[in-house]
Amino acid sequence: MTEGRVVVVVNGYTGVGAAVAKTLGGQGDRVVIAHPHVPEAAADVVNEIVGAGGSALELAADFRDSDEFEELVQEVLATFGRWDVLVHTCAATVVPKPFREVSADDFERDFNTNALGAYYGLQLALAHLADDGRIVAVSGGDSPLLPTLGRLVTSAAADFAERGITVNAVEPISAQAEPSAEVLAAAADAGASPEIAAVAAYLAGTGSAWTGQRVVVDDSAGKSTTAIE
């Protein structure tokens, strides 16, 4: 069981982010629910963690804005004196649909909301994350950036290795050229999957030494399978 680490969960107010936050909070970590200015939703998760005997607080930032993201990190450091874990979970920005129907506007919105936020988070972690820390990025199951975000995150692993920091990505469903209606429907609910949250929480924990991995959790058929790429 871990105890006392400081964990920042980006978009920890909903879906897989909330599930990971609750899991780590239940293990004794001090959890920061980082949210894009939705304090009421974040407070619900904080209250659940605290009510179960854990430690949590909520902080707001627009993760597309490097200055706001850095201000959040500085507040974490001022409050706790350290930062050990970053879990970046994607926000839902695109209605699930086949790739051929994803417009340039869809892609740009998803990129700015998720990939850019992950990039800023990685840069801030390089500067401020404690040695032997953990970084996990969870792609949205409906995201056209699913492979792109995974590559972005895992390509940074070597930069963190000498400090003992592991860097991994979790991809909720395997990419398919023409996903079925059932797969698309499952992708829309992927953020709430307990299996996906469990994989992310494991990678964020002290028990995993994996780094530079893209872990695919295929929950599309209602029966989870996991593969390492």
Side-chain angles (χ1 to χ4, degrees):
M1 176 179 289
T2 59
E3 184 173 3
R5 299 182 310 164
V6 178
V7 179
V8 174
V9 184
V10 173
N11 295 312
Y13 67 100
T14 187
V16 71
V20 172
K22 293 171 190 177
T23 298
L24 297 178
Q27 294 175 354
D29 292 327
R30 295 170 287 177
V31 181
V32 176
I33 307 301
H35 60 89
H37 299 283
V38 286
E40 295 83 2
D44 289 341
V45 181
V46 169
N47 291 338
E48 186 168 344
I49 293 172
V50 172
S55 173
L57 60 82
E58 54 88 7
L59 294 175
D62 181 344
F63 305 111
R64 300 167 299 180
D65 186 313
S66 60
D67 291 336
E68 282 200 29
F69 205 158
E70 183 164 12
E71 287 173 7
L72 183 148
V73 169
Q74 291 299 331
E75 189 164 354
V76 169
L77 294 171
T79 301
F80 298 105
R82 61 183 298 113
W83 174 28
D84 302 285
V85 180
L86 169 64
V87 179
H88 181 97
T89 64
C90 284
T93 60
V94 179
V95 175
K97 52 190 170 183
F99 178 76
R100 66 181 180 276
E101 297 178 12
V102 175
S103 69
D105 287 342
D106 289 336
F107 189 88
E108 182 177 15
R109 183 169 63 253
D110 201 7
F111 180 88
N112 289 339
T113 301
N114 294 312
L116 193 60
Y119 166 79
Y120 289 145
L122 288 167
Q123 291 291 332
L124 289 165
L126 273 173
H128 301 294
L129 202 71
D131 291 352
D132 299 316
R134 297 287 183 267
I135 299 172
V136 182
V138 185
S139 301
D142 58 345
S143 172
L145 288 176
L146 188 150
T148 307
L149 183 59
R151 183 73 66 183
L152 167 68
V153 172
T154 57
S155 68
D159 293 273
F160 291 90
E162 65 183 23
R163 293 169 51 204
I165 298 170
T166 65
V167 185
N168 295 286
V170 178
E171 300 181 354
I173 62 169
S174 55
Q176 298 186 28
E178 291 295 334
S180 66
E182 290 77 12
V183 168
L184 290 172
D189 295 330
S193 167
E195 290 83 5
I196 294 165
V199 172
Y202 171 74
L203 293 171
T206 57
S208 172
W210 289 347
T211 193
Q213 303 299 316
R214 295 167 62 193
V215 183
V216 177
V217 183
D218 187 349
D219 199 38
S220 57
K223 182 178 181 180
S224 292
T225 58
T226 302
I228 311 298
E229 294 188 350

